[in-house]
Amino acid sequence: MRIESTYKQNIQDRLEMPIKPKKNIFLQIALLVAVLFFFFSLYQLNFDYARLISGTGAFLETLTLMVPPDISQWQHVLAAALESFQVAVLGTIFGIIIGFVLAFPAADNITPHPTVAWLIKGFASLLRAIPTLIWALIFIVAVGLGPFTGILAITVGAAGMLVKVFTQSIEEIDYGVIEALKATGAGWFSIVSQAVIPTVLTAFLSWCILRFEADMGESTILGAVGAGGIGWELTHAMRAYKFDQAFFVAVVIFLMVFSVELVSNRLKMRMKNIG
Amino acid sequence: MTLLQVKGLEKKYPDGTVALKGIDFEVNEGEFIVIIGPSGAGKSTLLRSVNRLVDATNGAVIFKDRDVVKAGTRVLRKIRREIGMIFQGFNLIERASVLNNVLHGRLGYMSDFKGMFYLFNQSQKKTAYELLHRVGLGEQIYKRADELSGGQQQRVGIARALAQKPALMLADEPIASLDPVSSNVIMDYLYNICREEGIACLCNLHQVDVAKKYATRIIGIHAGEKVFDGKPEELTEDIINQIYHNKKKELVANE
């Protein structure tokens, strides 16, 4: 009893609570600024609640104009859809080729020289920094309207991303397997083809499929600025206030993108099973 | 006949770690040398300096009258193909077939172009199969490497190294990730094949009993320095303590 009480006494004398760690002041200030900026912007840009309501009405009215969809132009629309699909396929494949060639010298663990790796990575991030839509506008100036521009824009966008993700996949592999082949006296190309490619192949394939899905979406948008394909049909119909035609185009786009995703998900499942 | 000379080998890593502080030794043809020492003593670095998977900071490595440290890319490839290596983590290409993994041992003898396109000829394939048969894996040649057990994978590793027709074998902790039974099998294969083929072997181990069982000579490393080099029977309890704990007699007396 006495022992316990002295123990308690001692504890009370000596036990100081550890100093509470300071809260992150920076985070609090950032949050405050964000909230203030939100209200400032609401005020500054005249966010008009009345128009939100009237706009909803107008939108619903437009919706009624959209049904039934006008399928009279179906030959035109389907041909344009096919073109979008082709643009996506060609752009993605060219992007894959560029990404594949550049990724190996860009990966830190197998690069012939660090400067080479640095240059390629810098080049790829430059490609990524500019959105595909802007690339399309640049190429329209250079080579004119049409699917060729779309293919180029998608190639550049896909290459920028694929160089990055391919390189990361290569850098993730166990350095031991590279060491093992180096130790046999194998040359650089042999090491890449015998050790690196078999190890990263499934990762590469899933990146390619993912990129194709994204490019399918991109290629429909690119049509809107005149780089060929179904996007142009959509813009065209909207500008002419032919909402029923526009609705049909939208349905075709949805079906196309949706089925690409369906197929690619199947493919990914298959690949998982192979491992 | 001296096969390998290591002279004043030093290695300092970019982060400042000094792994080797001037190591000297020679390897004669057909010797089975086991290098022992605590983890972090520099055993792995020493082995990797021999075929230059690690670049030494100072010193010389002379393999068959050629200086490994100063060799250019071409000469280095020629030196490396005569030095087989097996690893603690086996380091097989898991998604490649067992046969292909053994064929990788021939890449040093092929042009980079042929190697790149898998242009192995029939006699190379036959040799690879014979080697796999020799390590008891003749039935498994078309399996993917990652379908095999650890012990089997290490046997593929041995076959890959043998495919190089090496004069020297480097074994970096070949049994550290194996169970005791597989460990025995692997050490028996490694020892017997090296002796039969007259291949000299430098083998890192941390099990002293295994070292004593197989070695024709033992080298003890402590903190980047060679503290013992002699026959297994000369390795006394005292010396083992010195290698693993650096407890020199006078230090113990002072305590």
Side-chain angles (χ1 to χ4, degrees):
Chain A
M1 202 43 205
R2 237 185 77 199
I3 293 170
E4 201 174 86
S5 67
T6 46
Y7 172 74
K8 270 186 184 166
Q9 192 57 46
N10 273 340
I11 288 264
Q12 275 164 2
D13 288 347
R14 263 187 283 155
L15 199 67
E16 275 178 48
M17 267 173 76
I19 299 160
K20 199 175 178 184
K22 278 186 182 153
K23 279 190 183 152
N24 192 337
I25 301 233
F26 178 77
L27 210 67
Q28 289 174 325
I29 293 174
L31 192 66
L32 188 69
V33 169
V35 171
L36 287 177
F37 189 73
F38 173 75
F39 285 110
F40 171 71
S41 302
L42 274 184
Y43 171 76
Q44 167 100 16
L45 300 178
N46 287 324
F47 195 82
D48 187 347
Y49 299 95
R51 262 169 67 193
L52 202 60
I53 295 159
S54 66
T56 311
F59 177 69
L60 290 175
E61 222 167 283
T62 326
L63 271 188
T64 60
L65 292 176
M66 284 182 169
V67 282
D70 175 6
I71 59 169
S72 62
Q73 300 291 315
W74 66 273
Q75 281 169 312
H76 233 75
V77 174
L78 288 189
L82 182 65
E83 191 174 84
S84 277
F85 183 72
Q86 289 169 311
V87 166
V89 170
L90 288 179
T92 311
I93 289 177
F94 288 139
I96 290 169
I97 293 169
I98 296 173
F100 188 81
V101 171
L102 292 183
F104 296 100
D108 288 333
N109 48 353
I110 56 167
T111 185
H113 197 278
T115 316
V116 176
W118 185 81
L119 282 175
I120 297 174
K121 281 179 179 167
F123 173 67
S125 47
L126 181 76
L127 297 188
R128 285 197 308 278
I130 300 170
T132 309
L133 203 63
I134 308 296
W135 280 116
L137 294 174
I138 293 171
F139 286 126
I140 284 172
V141 176
V143 298
L145 296 169
F148 185 55
T149 301
I151 294 170
L152 289 182
I154 286 187
T155 300
V156 171
M161 172 195 153
L162 291 177
V163 167
K164 180 186 168 150
V165 296
F166 283 180
T167 304
Q168 279 174 352
S169 296
I170 297 168
E171 285 170 353
E172 275 167 21
I173 69 177
D174 176 13
Y175 191 66
V177 302
I178 297 166
E179 254 192 339
L181 286 217
K182 268 189 180 177
T184 67
W188 190 81
F189 287 98
S190 303
I191 294 175
V192 165
S193 105
Q194 300 276 353
V196 181
I197 292 177
T199 311
V200 296
L201 197 60
T202 42
F204 273 27
L205 285 177
S206 8
W207 283 123
C208 292
I209 292 170
L210 189 78
R211 186 63 217 183
F212 179 67
E213 275 177 45
D215 283 345
M216 200 55 238
E218 298 260 32
S219 84
T220 57
I221 296 165
L222 289 184
V225 297
I230 199 166
W232 177 244
E233 299 297 321
L234 187 67
T235 324
H236 194 71
M238 291 292 278
R239 282 199 188 138
Y241 292 98
K242 290 179 181 164
F243 295 114
D244 48 354
Q245 271 186 23
F247 185 55
F248 176 59
V249 175
V251 169
V252 171
I253 291 178
F254 171 76
L255 286 178
M256 192 166 62
V257 174
F258 185 72
S259 37
V260 164
E261 251 177 58
L262 213 65
V263 172
S264 72
N265 282 343
R266 277 283 170 87
L267 280 175
K268 277 187 250 174
M269 292 290 275
R270 278 278 169 85
M271 273 173 12
K272 257 186 200 158
N273 292 339
I274 300 165
Chain B
M1 255 290 282
T2 309
L3 184 68
L4 178 79
Q5 283 175 285
V6 175
K7 294 180 196 163
L9 196 67
E10 290 172 24
K11 174 64 187 177
K12 189 178 177 186
Y13 283 101
D15 67 357
T17 319
V18 180
L20 300 174
K21 299 174 188 163
I23 299 258
D24 299 275
F25 66 94
E26 289 184 359
V27 179
N28 294 317
E29 273 175 17
E31 275 191 294
F32 197 96
I33 302 178
V34 174
I35 302 172
I36 57 170
S39 9
K43 303 192 294 287
S44 249
T45 306
L46 175 60
L47 228 58
R48 280 171 165 70
S49 303
V50 171
N51 62 357
R52 240 177 77 187
L53 290 179
V54 164
D55 279 302
T57 321
N58 242 321
V61 176
I62 315 287
F63 176 74
K64 287 189 172 176
D65 299 326
R66 286 170 297 190
D67 191 340
V68 182
V69 177
K70 293 195 180 102
T73 319
R74 261 162 196 280
V75 180
L76 182 62
R77 276 188 65 186
K78 284 188 177 156
I79 294 172
R80 278 176 174 167
R81 70 186 188 188
E82 288 184 62
I83 304 177
M85 186 161 190
I86 59 177
F87 301 85
Q88 174 177 351
F90 324 132
N91 296 359
L92 302 180
I93 313 304
E94 298 197 331
R95 283 153 194 247
S97 72
V98 168
L99 186 68
N100 260 349
N101 268 289
V102 178
L103 286 168
H104 289 159
R106 296 309 296 169
L107 287 173
Y109 292 91
M110 301 163 73
S111 74
D112 206 8
F113 179 82
K114 278 191 172 175
M116 184 179 171
F117 290 103
Y118 292 70
L119 300 173
F120 302 107
N121 63 34
Q122 214 51 47
S123 83
Q124 285 174 319
K125 286 181 190 167
K126 192 138 184 300
T127 316
Y129 169 68
E130 283 163 9
L131 287 169
L132 281 166
H133 190 78
R134 187 166 177 186
V135 296
L137 294 172
E139 304 292 313
Q140 329 269 355
I141 62 170
Y142 296 119
K143 276 194 180 168
R144 254 172 62 156
D146 57 3
E147 289 178 64
L148 303 185
S149 71
Q152 289 174 321
Q153 288 196 32
Q154 192 61 296
R155 281 188 265 159
V156 178
I158 293 176
R160 172 172 67 189
L162 289 175
Q164 294 174 234
K165 295 203 171 32
L168 175 67
M169 181 78 96
L170 305 173
D172 186 24
E173 301 274 5
I175 55 170
S177 19
L178 296 176
D179 62 86
V181 178
S182 309
S183 296
N184 267 332
V185 174
I186 291 298
M187 283 312 293
D188 282 344
Y189 272 119
L190 183 63
Y191 179 79
N192 291 330
I193 290 174
C194 283
R195 302 252 83 186
E196 284 162 25
E197 303 290 325
I199 301 168
C201 183
L202 265 178
C203 178
N204 282 348
L205 286 177
H206 60 248
Q207 303 92 328
V208 178
D209 51 327
V210 182
K212 278 186 157 176
K213 183 176 167 196
Y214 294 97
T216 59
R217 188 174 136 206
I218 290 179
I219 293 177
I221 304 258
H222 181 93
E225 283 172 296
K226 187 172 90 171
V227 291
F228 175 79
D229 188 345
K231 293 198 172 112
E233 50 276 20
E234 293 167 2
L235 189 71
T236 59
E237 210 56 42
D238 253 8
I239 296 170
I240 293 172
N241 266 334
Q242 202 179 316
I243 294 169
Y244 280 88
H245 311 291
N246 203 21
K247 275 186 192 156
K248 289 183 183 162
K249 277 215 165 142
E250 53 272 28
L251 283 177
V252 177
N254 279 343
E255 272 176 355

